[in-house]
């Protein structure tokens, strides 16, 4: 006779139910795995630049410029207001600073306090920054203001994402 073992009815049902159960479990888990991995596979819009102002409008004094970007959170789409302090430095380079204080996230303003006329001032806790956005020692902020990535194209200034700088 042969050396093959015969599969009993019980083993056959066991194998069949295990296979069908595994197939059903895979069918239920596939959408969950896709949901978890989908954000990783979706192409990001990182590095987008937005038109902010004509180059001719920039001066040596920081000016506040605002623009809107479209933001998508899951299925909710909205327009978000962005702001930057932009000026030309001594080397005629464009500097674009974020107005968000690195201490607690308040909004800083240029020359808004009479005691500190040539500094960015945060009204929340008295934080101060020099014109180039470096935090002044002894004030609450522990890091300089973030800078925006800049690009000039066809006489227009485009700003991208902010980049953090190390503390002074």
């Amino acid at each position: 006779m042969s050396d093959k073992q015969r599969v009993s009815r019980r083993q056959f049902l066991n194998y069949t139910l295990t296979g069908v159960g595994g197939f059903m479990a895979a069918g239920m888990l596939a959408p969950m795995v896709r949901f978890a991995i989908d954000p990783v596979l979706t192409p990001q819009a990182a590095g987008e630049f937005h038109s902010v102002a004509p180059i001719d409008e920039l001066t040596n004094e920081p000016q506040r410029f605002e623009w809107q970007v479209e933001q998508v959170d899951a299925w909710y789409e909205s327009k978000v207001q962005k702001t930057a302090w932009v000026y030309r430095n001594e080397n005629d380079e464009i500097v674009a600073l974020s107005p968000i204080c690195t201490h607690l996230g308040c909004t800083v303003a240029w020359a808004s306090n009479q005691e500190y006329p040539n500094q960015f001032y945060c009204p929340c806790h008295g934080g101060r920054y020099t014109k180039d956005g470096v935090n002044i020692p002894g004030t609450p902020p522990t890091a300089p203001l973030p800078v925006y990535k800049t690009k000039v194209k066809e006489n227009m200034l485009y700003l991208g994402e902010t980049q953090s700088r190390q503390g002074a």
Side-chain angles (χ1 to χ4, degrees), residues 53-60 63 65 86-88 94 157:
I55 294 297
D56 304 340
E57 291 183 16
L58 302 181
T59 64
N60 291 342
Q63 298 174 46
F65 289 99
V86 183
Y87 70 97
R88 289 183 182 269
I94 296 172
L157 172 64

Side-chain angles (χ1 to χ4, degrees), residues 4-25:
K4 291 183 182 177
Q5 288 186 338
R6 300 190 124 215
V7 176
S8 69
R9 209 178 298 161
R10 180 173 292 202
Q11 287 175 323
F12 174 77
L13 285 174
N14 216 0
Y15 294 151
T16 304
L17 289 176
T18 302
V20 169
F23 183 74
M24 290 174 60

